[in-house]
Amino acid sequence: MVQIFKGLQERFQTEIQTVNKQFPCEPFIFLEPTLRLEYCEALAMLREAGVGMGDEDNLGTPNEKLLGHLVKEKSNSYDMFMRGEEILSGAQRIHDPQLRTERALHHGIDLEKIKAYMDSFHFGAPPHAGGGIGLERVTMLFLGLHNVRQTSMFPRDPKQLTP
């Protein structure tokens, strides 16, 4: 990501300035090298800010945004954040069907409702991990825009489903 941001700033200043004339914002600043924040450190930061979270709790959207702002203040960042908002989240997935079943039951999930999904792990799933990134969201944050629809060729919402 750092190389992409450097390339954009080096090669596309004219385009960035053109967008900035219509949608003024502060320039996007990134750290080089990128700093890392371990999950336990993230929990400690949130707890210090008054958020009550268990050691294995998943970060919900409000806590992710709060963490993003805390990270931005301290200049640290995996999950990846831009301008204090998450752009990428990645983790190793549970591939063991027995453990996956135990975790689903622990969280009160009806196994019948996710049967097809769970069956795929019984057929065999290797250890795997992943992350997803929305380039329109990255573009929105890089340019300091306020809505992802401003970066989409064909924006969609409940009232506009076709171009």
Side-chain angles (χ1 to χ4, degrees), residues 75-86:
S75 298
N76 290 331
S77 235
Y78 193 60
D79 296 328
M80 288 185 185
F81 292 85
M82 288 178 67
R83 296 188 191 265
E85 291 190 38
E86 181 187 339

Side-chain angles (χ1 to χ4, degrees), residues 13-45:
Q13 268 308 307
T14 302
E15 292 83 351
I16 292 169
Q17 289 172 5
T18 300
V19 170
N20 197 256
K21 285 179 185 174
Q22 185 171 356
F23 303 103
C25 76
E26 294 294 318
F28 179 63
I29 299 170
F30 52 90
L31 298 176
E32 192 176 8
T34 303
L35 298 177
R36 290 184 56 168
L37 179 68
E38 299 292 333
Y39 187 72
C40 61
E41 295 171 302
L43 285 180
M45 289 174 69

Side-chain angles (χ1 to χ4, degrees), residues 52-67:
M53 287 189 62
D55 290 344
E56 295 185 17
D57 288 349
N58 192 14
L59 294 176
T61 300
N63 286 342
E64 284 179 351
K65 286 190 175 192
L66 173 59
L67 180 60

Side-chain angles (χ1 to χ4, degrees), residues 90-104:
Q92 183 171 352
R93 311 297 193 241
I94 297 173
H95 64 282
D96 178 78
Q98 179 65 35
L99 179 56
R100 184 166 282 283
T101 300
E102 290 171 13
R103 297 304 299 158

Side-chain angles (χ1 to χ4, degrees), residues 47-154:
R47 288 174 181 155
E48 187 177 312
V51 175
M53 287 189 62
D55 290 344
E56 295 185 17
D57 288 349
N58 192 14
L59 294 176
T61 300
N63 286 342
E64 284 179 351
K65 286 190 175 192
L66 173 59
L67 180 60
H69 293 290
L70 296 171
V71 165
K72 185 177 178 186
E73 289 173 12
K74 295 183 183 268
S75 298
N76 290 331
S77 235
Y78 193 60
D79 296 328
M80 288 185 185
F81 292 85
M82 288 178 67
R83 296 188 191 265
E85 291 190 38
E86 181 187 339
I87 60 161
L88 174 96
S89 184
Q92 183 171 352
R93 311 297 193 241
I94 297 173
H95 64 282
D96 178 78
Q98 179 65 35
L99 179 56
R100 184 166 282 283
T101 300
E102 290 171 13
R103 297 304 299 158
L105 292 173
H106 173 79
H107 289 284
I109 297 172
D110 181 356
L111 295 178
E112 261 319 293
K113 291 183 178 179
I114 60 169
K115 184 179 181 333
Y117 176 73
M118 295 298 282
D119 283 348
S120 66
F121 291 90
H122 289 287
F123 299 137
H128 61 287
I133 189 165
L135 292 180
E136 290 169 338
R137 184 172 172 81
V138 170
T139 302
M140 174 191 77
L141 293 167
F142 183 83
L143 294 173
L145 302 174
H146 300 288
N147 191 309
V148 73
R149 287 185 291 248
Q150 294 172 312
T151 65
S152 175
M153 177 84 98
F154 303 107

